[in-house]
Amino acid sequence: MDLKQQWEAILIALAPEISRANLITWFQKTALLGFQEGVLTVGVPREFFLSWHRTNSQEKIRAAASAFLKNIEKVEYVVDGTLDHPGDERIVDILALFPSGELKVRKLPNRAEVKIGGEIVSKMITAKYTLQNFVTGPQNRLAHAACKAVAADPGTAYNPLFIYGGVGLGKTHLLQGTGNEVLEKRPNFVVVYLTAENFVSEIVDAIQKRKVDKVREKYRRIDVLILDDIQFLAGKDRSQEIFFHLFNDLYDAGKQVILSSDRPPTELELTEDRLKSRFTMGMAVDVHFPDYETRLAILRNKAQDFALIVENEVLNFIAYNVHHSVRELEGVLKQIRAQEEFEGVSPTVQSVAKILRKLYKDQDIFGYDEEREVPGIVKSMDDIVERVADFYEVTKSDVLGKARNREFVVPRQVAMYLCKKYLKHSLQRIGFFFGNRDHTSVMHSLAQVAKNRKNDPQFWKDVNSIQKELGF
Ligand code: ADP
Ligand code: MG
């Protein structure tokens, strides 16, 4: 066996011990580099792989390898940047070695089509959305909890459950996740998911064929009815009326109804006022755009799903600069994947900045500056901090320290901004220099500067004077 075959055998042996997502994330670009004098050397493509491997894989690799290599004393890791290049011969193709469908998604029966009485009524539940892979934060926790409660006990807890909020914030995910969870616990339940748009076209069709009664009859046999985007019922009076009766049938029979909309029930433009009041009988919860930490957690999860390796600094940068919907977060990751696949480009703050620029034409992007090269007299962060401190008449240690008074915070933010802009150091490095701060706090400072620049002309004049003094 050559090294590659040995590595393949080791991976196969340790696979049951490690989740597929982790296998793909952390072993994708690894190789066995050698085995000498009891030391097994494993190559990893980048520095930041080391800490995961040291805590999670060392013992497992040793155990797996001992099956056919005698006297292994230890496992060592070496960073080998060339492993990062596509097509390195030593790498085992993990995706080919461990093929199988979606990552992290439990296998569910295919519910693409639910048949009732031989007729197909729903084509849309996808196994990809589960309540488990929905990341919660303060902005969606209540909605998620309500879905969990409904899935545990459909028809009793909250009926109807009404989820509302803007585009791309996870409503469909929650609705389908709830449907999937019900089906998992009660495989015999008839769970039907459809959009209000599908519903309306079914009704229109039934009216034409004079089969409205039949539709109603059919829907009565549903245990959980999930209707997405019901704002679409606005102006569709006949559908509203039919839905009203349908709702009552189901509700009276103790069946669960779950609805979503882009606005709260009271603001729906429905001619059927009775419908609105029905919608508020159960529980109405909203979802909002998640905060920074939750966005970051979502990105981490999705990056794993996409089998993408993205460094923390880059994930932070995305989380910081996406402002509207979770769908956009996903969109950025998809483009990263495309860049990697087609151009062999591993994601960096710089490459992602390009993607974001295309996405947000008129928006400032924080944490990265494409300005000119570093000119002139300034060589170090120390120089910058000194000039900034002088200008604002504070001391250097005030600028680098922890005090949160405005008279220190502003110079600190300006100094960080200038360090990033002219020296182009990483956020980590700047954070470390400024009193061992987290890189997210550096990012926050940069955002603050961009904001003040817009709102406070005097502030920006000051910054410009400092830049002149520094010779920029
Ligand atoms: P909506 O129906 O509100 O327009 P979606 O449910 O279609 O939004 O969500 C858009 C995308 O974002 C989906 O791919 C979904 O999986 C993802 N998403 C939204 N919120 C979350 C979350 N909290 N955790 C994980 N993925 C999320
Ligand atoms: Mg939706």
Side-chain angles (χ1 to χ4, degrees):
M1 278 209 284
D2 65 13
L3 285 171
K4 186 170 178 181
Q5 288 164 335
Q6 283 176 356
W7 189 226
E8 203 168 277
I10 292 171
L11 289 173
I12 290 170
L14 64 73
E17 306 287 314
I18 294 177
S19 76
R20 183 166 184 271
N22 275 332
L23 265 178
I24 288 169
T25 307
W26 300 110
F27 288 88
Q28 199 173 210
K29 293 173 174 176
T30 58
L32 185 59
L33 300 182
F35 177 51
Q36 267 157 358
E37 295 167 18
V39 180
L40 194 72
T41 308
V42 174
V44 298
R46 295 191 228 168
E47 193 80 31
F48 84 106
F49 275 55
L50 290 174
S51 72
W52 186 90
H53 276 284
R54 287 196 178 120
T55 20
N56 296 292
S57 81
Q58 211 151 18
E59 191 38 44
K60 287 174 185 145
I61 292 177
R62 206 190 54 75
S66 329
F68 48 91
L69 296 172
K70 295 279 165 282
N71 308 322
I72 300 175
E73 274 158 32
K74 62 178 175 180
V75 175
E76 276 187 359
Y77 302 95
V78 174
V79 178
D80 179 344
T82 55
L83 289 169
D84 212 7
H85 298 161
D88 189 297
E89 299 268 297
R90 297 164 297 172
I91 293 173
V92 173
D93 185 349
I94 297 277
L95 289 171
L97 197 60
F98 305 106
S100 93
E102 301 263 5
L103 292 169
K104 286 182 12 115
V105 172
R106 286 162 296 163
K107 272 254 178 296
L108 286 164
N110 184 6
R111 300 285 172 179
E113 296 186 344
V114 178
K115 292 188 181 182
I116 308 175
E119 253 183 290
I120 298 164
V121 286
S122 170
K123 295 189 171 186
M124 289 196 52
I125 288 200
T126 84
K128 165 172 107 170
Y129 295 127
T130 65
L131 292 182
Q132 203 198 337
N133 67 17
F134 187 85
V135 178
T136 57
Q139 295 75 16
N140 58 24
R141 188 166 289 132
L142 194 58
H144 182 260
C147 289
K148 282 298 267 188
V150 164
D153 221 348
T156 47
Y158 307 115
N159 206 12
L161 173 61
F162 191 107
I163 308 253
Y164 64 94
V167 175
L169 298 183
K171 299 185 298 298
T172 298
H173 187 138
L174 282 172
L175 261 52
Q176 296 217 6
T178 310
N180 279 323
E181 194 151 316
V182 170
L183 281 171
E184 202 173 322
K185 289 184 178 140
R186 302 166 203 242
N188 299 325
F189 262 40
V190 178
V191 177
V192 171
Y193 166 94
L194 73 174
T195 62
E197 200 171 351
N198 300 147
F199 178 75
V200 168
S201 59
E202 192 174 353
I203 297 299
V204 170
D205 195 51
I207 292 172
Q208 264 174 7
K209 294 182 182 148
R210 301 175 196 287
K211 280 187 174 168
V212 174
D213 286 346
K214 263 204 166 151
V215 169
R216 214 172 135 186
E217 184 55 38
K218 186 178 81 179
Y219 272 85
R220 264 198 227 150
R221 289 153 61 188
I222 292 174
D223 296 297
V224 178
L225 175 64
I226 305 174
L227 202 58
D228 205 352
D229 289 324
I230 60 157
Q231 72 275 3
F232 191 79
L233 291 182
K236 321 280 190 316
D237 293 358
R238 193 67 205 285
S239 298
Q240 283 177 36
E241 188 203 325
I242 292 169
F243 185 65
F244 176 73
H245 292 298
L246 197 59
F247 181 91
N248 289 341
D249 292 347
L250 291 170
Y251 186 84
D252 292 342
K255 306 299 180 60
Q256 178 73 46
V257 179
I258 308 174
L259 307 161
S260 87
S261 143
D262 65 354
R263 64 200 77 183
T266 46
E267 285 171 27
L268 285 168
E269 292 162 15
L270 300 179
T271 36
E272 280 280 346
D273 266 339
R274 299 178 297 176
L275 253 190
K276 277 202 220 179
S277 70
R278 290 292 184 282
F279 290 167
T280 49
M281 286 187 322
M283 163 114 157
V285 265
D286 51 359
V287 284
H288 290 277
F289 186 57
D291 58 23
Y292 172 77
E293 287 76 9
T294 312
R295 299 205 290 278
L296 201 53
I298 293 174
L299 278 168
R300 289 223 172 88
N301 267 19
K302 302 263 169 189
Q304 269 204 342
D305 284 349
F306 290 175
L308 275 178
I309 299 165
V310 188
E311 279 174 71
N312 270 338
E313 189 181 14
V314 177
L315 291 178
N316 287 320
F317 178 66
I318 302 169
Y320 216 90
N321 283 293
V322 167
H323 305 287
H324 305 104
S325 82
V326 178
R327 187 168 294 141
E328 286 173 355
L329 288 177
E330 258 179 16
V332 175
L333 286 178
K334 281 183 187 155
Q335 297 206 31
I336 288 179
R337 183 172 58 185
Q339 270 191 347
E340 198 158 66
E341 264 173 31
F342 300 120
E343 299 164 36
V345 176
S346 294
T348 58
V349 167
Q350 195 170 1
S351 73
V352 172
K354 267 194 207 141
I355 294 175
L356 290 171
R357 278 244 156 70
K358 265 189 244 158
L359 201 65
Y360 302 121
K361 292 234 161 50
D362 314 312
Q363 201 169 291
D364 285 341
I365 289 172
F366 302 134
Y368 177 71
D369 220 319
E370 276 172 326
E371 301 285 326
R372 35 204 173 120
E373 292 297 300
V374 188
I377 51 179
V378 169
K379 292 276 178 289
S380 67
M381 293 201 264
D382 204 55
D383 292 342
I384 289 181
V385 171
E386 194 170 317
R387 297 297 173 102
V388 172
D390 275 357
F391 182 90
Y392 286 101
E393 299 179 340
V394 295
T395 67
K396 254 165 79 176
S397 56
D398 292 333
V399 176
L400 298 175
K402 300 274 179 218
R404 310 214 36 87
N405 329 18
R406 197 181 142 74
E407 70 226 76
F408 305 142
V409 170
V410 171
R412 189 176 301 142
Q413 291 173 342
V414 170
M416 286 183 183
Y417 168 80
L418 294 172
C419 289
K420 185 71 202 170
K421 183 167 176 183
Y422 293 109
L423 303 177
K424 296 190 166 57
H425 290 324
S426 73
L427 300 172
Q428 266 100 346
R429 186 157 165 206
I430 295 173
F432 184 72
F433 184 77
F434 282 77
N436 206 5
R437 288 181 156 78
D438 197 304
H439 59 283
T440 54
S441 106
V442 179
M443 203 168 255
H444 175 75
S445 298
L446 300 178
Q448 222 39 50
V449 169
K451 205 162 120 195
N452 294 344
R453 171 183 185 166
K454 269 195 201 143
N455 304 334
D456 183 350
Q458 184 56 45
F459 166 83
W460 194 241
K461 245 168 106 180
D462 291 349
V463 173
N464 278 323
S465 324
I466 299 169
Q467 299 192 79
K468 275 214 192 80
E469 272 182 36
L470 286 165
F472 295 139

